[in-house]
Amino acid sequence: MEPNVGGTDRTVRVVLGALALLSSMAVVVYGGGLGGRRIVVAAVTLLVAAVMFATVGARRCPINAVLGRNTCRNGT
């Protein structure tokens, strides 16, 4: 498969993934006001982080493919 996640797009995804990961940890530690929803919120933000890091690693994003976007220069 041809990569469709390039330079700036990868950088943005790494930053967003790191922020989502930190948010997940913060919710676990400081999310007492959320009650029982704390685990759900932490799990969702952790899932977002995992998806961001997976698309960076694979350099392929299914949503970009569906939308016809390719942020790679010259397909590399």
Side-chain angles (χ1 to χ4, degrees), residues 1 5 9 11-12 16 22-23 27 30 32 38 40 42-43 47 50 52 56-59 61 67-68 73-74:
M1 285 207 229
V5 177
D9 196 7
T11 303
V12 169
L16 290 177
L22 291 173
S23 296
V27 165
Y30 301 110
R38 176 173 58 178
V40 173
L47 181 63
M52 289 291 138
V56 166
R59 295 187 63 188
C61 177
L67 295 175
R73 291 187 183 163
N74 301 328

Side-chain angles (χ1 to χ4, degrees), residues 18 28 52 64 76:
V28 170
M52 289 291 138
N64 278 0
T76 60

